[in-house]
Amino acid sequence: MTSVLPPELSADVLVVALDDFRAALGGDAVLTDDAELQEFRDPYWFRGWDDYEAAAVVQPQSVEEIQAVVRIANERGVPLWVTSQGRNNGYGGSSPRVRGSVVVNLRRMNRVLDVDPKSAYAVVEPGVSFFDLYEAVRTSGHPLWISVPDLGWGSVIGNSLEYGVGYTPYGEHAATLCGLEVVLPNGELVRTGPGALENGRAWHVYRRSYGPSFEGLFFQSNFGIVTKAGVWLMPQPESFLGGWAYCRRDDDLPQFVDVLRTLLLDGSITGYPQILSPTAMASVFTDRSHWYDGEGALPDEVIERICAEMDVGRWTMRFAIHGDEAIVDHKFAKVKRAFEQIPDASVVGTKYRGDEVDAIENPAERVQAGVPNLEIAQMAKWYGGERGGHIGFSPAAPLTGEDAVRLRDLLRGTLAARGLDYSAALIPVTPRSYINVILVVFDTEDEAMTRIAFDACKELVAEAAKLGYGEYRAHLDFMDLCADQYAFGDHAQRRLAESIKDTLDPNGILMPGKQGIWPRALRTD
Ligand code: ADP
């Protein structure tokens, strides 16, 4: 029996609630053993810290079972935390924001309900991982591609709701979800847009509604549990080119980024690229001790050695071009010309037929062709091998050279001052904007180092906001701090979110505190 209790709930009431969950879902769908709960704990949170422990995990198998869970939670006052696959590593994994919450994990709801070849979309349940969807689309035999993030084990719905990204032209995942089914905190089932018609035929193809469109309400929020979604698929292109651009000098970053923006805006580069620092490149293949075992952040001469030995740039970009072969050739020549105007920069690329991408060996290229894999999980092992972990620190910024330099200097400088390495991936999410992801890497069994890593992120949240950058997503431990930065109009946006929260979830049971949105009873001001 769990000893972790949510705030304001007695052990007796929790026992009754867990019995109710067992009666509704079956005993094997309610996990309370410490050993079982370990799998659903933030894998990178220091073992000895217990701030985000769950009281239990429940695994419903149907919409009706989710509704039963919500009903019981309302009756007993139990906070719930929802995960689909629960692999949101770097941002808290499956751990809840409020200690003692019951995690509602939706892995058992993993059916691909439809693959529609005419309009190129699939309909998925929340537990469907990118591997599952890939398999289902391949099995269907239709010439369609999915878009995948770097690690394919997450869920399509969880990743998209959190504004996750992939690297095909369909890489802005939130924009590919169309037509949601949602259980509200009061247990009611809602279908968005044309899904609200009886038998609405345009549910997964027409994004708007008659009247306001509510889909956006359920992204990165605590207003509902998404139980189904349409996800748009990409027609298989005739040709795919996986490319690399190398920028040899740190000082050329602004020009590199400005060239990239023009090539995204005019459609020459069709996938969403990543610009990587040398440490990020090195951590895909090696761990830190291979390069350096001294104290403090990697010195510049070690960075130079990484560049020389791995033959990578001070900034290395992977990118992709998709389309008819003649157009791909034309665009590649243009991309090469544009980047190679930067002194010593170089561009290479490998072309594949659109129907042969499954056989591509390089995982960085596979991912840009929508083939899921787990190769870059190695990156978390930079310090301490299997004990390694990371926090994702990820402000959103305009895709301009000026912004890239401001963020590079802030992030690299702040980490170096705390003795931490700078592992950066600049990821455009539209032709006009990018997410400046840094993986703050540390040894999860080194308490002092883990503390330093989290403190560095918190300092960065505040410093980045002073420069005008807010996080696009954040670890549980600094969700409130990130939300605080969105302060225009004396936090008018937060008050808007709170009034919706109080209306939809008067008992405050659904994911209290997510993205800094607290129900009335738990608000401090
Ligand atoms: P992944 O699928 O990448 O493993 P998670 O399942 O951990 O991601 O989900 C990431 C976050 O997205 C969760 O912490 C939760 O806040 C939100 N989320 C996931 N699934 C749902 C869902 N079905 N409905 C509402 N929010 C969800």
Side-chain angles (χ1 to χ4, degrees):
M1 175 54 207
T2 176
S3 55
V4 179
L5 280 176
E8 320 282 320
L9 201 75
S10 72
D12 293 349
V13 177
L14 181 62
V15 168
V16 175
L18 292 174
D19 282 344
D20 291 347
F21 288 135
R22 287 189 190 96
L25 312 184
D28 69 338
V30 180
L31 315 179
T32 53
D33 281 0
D34 279 351
E36 291 172 319
L37 297 186
Q38 276 309 308
E39 191 190 335
F40 296 90
R41 185 182 192 272
D42 178 351
Y44 305 145
W45 193 242
F46 182 67
R47 287 263 146 248
W49 298 343
D50 63 359
D51 315 61
Y52 303 112
E53 302 298 302
V57 174
V58 296
Q59 297 190 298
Q61 294 199 68
S62 66
V63 172
E64 294 72 26
E65 288 190 359
I66 293 178
Q67 289 175 301
V69 167
V70 166
R71 180 177 45 74
I72 295 163
N74 272 298
E75 275 169 20
R76 308 290 178 199
V78 178
L80 302 175
W81 183 262
V82 182
T83 66
S84 285
Q85 273 290 328
R87 304 190 194 276
N88 195 20
N89 297 347
Y91 299 99
S94 221
S95 284
R97 172 67 184 84
V98 168
R99 181 183 145 81
S101 298
V102 169
V103 170
V104 183
N105 175 264
L106 302 175
R107 272 184 210 170
R108 288 186 178 187
M109 293 176 64
N110 64 350
R111 288 176 305 163
V112 175
L113 300 170
D114 189 19
V115 177
D116 183 304
K118 276 196 232 156
S119 302
Y121 68 84
V123 182
V124 297
E125 291 188 327
V128 169
S129 71
F130 289 94
F131 282 110
D132 297 332
L133 181 59
Y134 177 78
E135 215 37 60
V137 172
R138 280 287 171 278
T139 308
S140 77
H142 302 305
L144 295 169
W145 280 18
I146 70 168
S147 174
V148 301
D150 286 291
L151 296 174
W153 57 12
S155 68
V156 177
I157 287 185
N159 176 277
S160 306
L161 291 179
E162 288 289 296
Y163 309 135
V165 294
Y167 306 100
T168 72
Y170 283 48
E172 196 201 348
H173 290 168
T176 66
L177 286 201
C178 181
L180 304 182
E181 181 184 83
V182 187
V183 172
L184 298 181
N186 64 7
E188 199 160 14
L189 190 66
V190 171
R191 289 183 169 179
T192 62
L197 293 165
E198 304 290 348
N199 290 325
R201 285 179 54 78
W203 188 17
H204 300 302
V205 293
Y206 180 67
R207 189 178 291 294
R208 310 287 167 225
S209 193
Y210 178 71
S213 297
F214 293 108
E215 286 193 356
L217 273 187
F218 302 106
F219 284 73
Q220 233 182 61
S221 81
N222 49 12
F223 301 150
I225 303 176
V226 176
T227 52
K228 276 186 198 76
V231 49
W232 288 349
L233 306 173
M234 171 178 157
Q236 175 182 289
E238 181 180 273
S239 182
F240 159 74
L241 180 137
W244 295 91
Y246 302 100
C247 174
R248 300 288 170 185
R249 278 187 297 270
D250 195 31
D251 287 347
D252 290 337
L253 176 66
Q255 201 181 344
F256 201 57
V257 169
D258 286 330
V259 169
L260 171 61
R261 186 186 60 257
T262 61
L263 294 168
L264 284 169
L265 277 169
D266 74 8
S268 300
I269 291 179
T270 54
Y272 289 95
Q274 274 196 0
I275 300 176
L276 297 152
S277 69
T279 313
M281 292 296 290
S283 68
V284 176
F285 303 102
T286 55
D287 64 22
R288 187 178 202 261
S289 61
H290 179 86
W291 302 102
Y292 186 64
D293 53 14
E295 294 288 305
L298 288 187
D300 210 54
E301 62 267 19
V302 176
I303 304 281
E304 284 297 338
R305 188 153 54 80
I306 291 174
C307 293
E309 285 182 26
M310 292 185 66
D311 192 21
V312 296
R314 280 305 289 236
W315 296 97
T316 302
M317 183 178 77
R318 71 172 201 209
F319 68 95
I321 306 175
H322 312 75
D324 289 351
E325 188 172 1
I327 296 174
V328 169
D329 289 343
H330 176 82
K331 287 182 172 178
F332 180 62
K334 181 172 171 181
V335 168
K336 199 168 161 56
R337 259 196 323 274
F339 280 114
E340 290 185 350
Q341 280 171 18
I342 302 171
D344 299 327
S346 55
V347 175
V348 294
T350 312
K351 208 167 54 179
Y352 305 89
R353 281 204 331 262
D355 61 2
E356 65 175 12
V357 294
D358 297 13
I360 295 175
E361 277 179 18
N362 184 330
E365 290 176 357
R366 284 165 77 80
V367 101
Q368 296 179 96
V371 185
N373 62 77
L374 294 175
E375 300 294 322
I376 71 149
Q378 165 71 26
M379 286 178 92
K381 300 179 184 163
W382 183 243
Y383 284 103
E386 294 303 322
R387 302 190 318 258
H390 66 84
I391 311 165
F393 180 82
S394 350
L399 185 62
T400 74
E402 184 191 341
D403 290 282
V405 167
R406 277 153 61 102
L407 276 169
R408 176 198 65 190
D409 293 348
L410 171 69
L411 303 177
R412 193 163 62 188
T414 306
L415 293 183
R418 291 175 181 262
L420 297 169
D421 293 338
Y422 167 71
S423 182
L426 282 56
I427 310 179
V429 285
T430 72
R432 297 173 175 82
S433 59
Y434 80 105
I435 305 293
N436 202 129
V437 178
I438 52 169
L439 291 186
V440 181
V441 277
F442 55 95
D443 180 341
T444 59
E445 290 187 12
D446 180 335
E447 182 172 10
M449 188 180 197
T450 309
R451 178 63 66 208
I452 288 170
F454 276 93
D455 286 350
C457 288
K458 290 176 192 171
E459 180 184 335
L460 282 171
V461 170
E463 292 303 317
K466 283 185 201 154
L467 297 180
Y469 308 107
E471 301 318 285
Y472 98 106
R473 188 177 187 180
H475 188 278
L476 302 170
D477 202 47
F478 45 96
M479 272 182 178
D480 284 339
L481 182 63
C482 288
D484 283 348
Q485 312 305 316
Y486 289 80
F488 174 80
D490 192 19
H491 298 96
Q493 183 173 249
R494 178 154 66 204
R495 280 196 303 284
L496 171 63
E498 286 169 351
S499 41
I500 296 170
K501 181 71 181 161
D502 291 343
T503 305
L504 294 181
D505 187 9
N507 298 321
I509 51 115
L510 193 63
M511 296 191 265
K514 182 168 163 59
Q515 310 314 126
I517 307 170
W518 291 95
R520 192 191 309 274
L522 296 180
R523 289 205 283 272
T524 44
D525 48 333

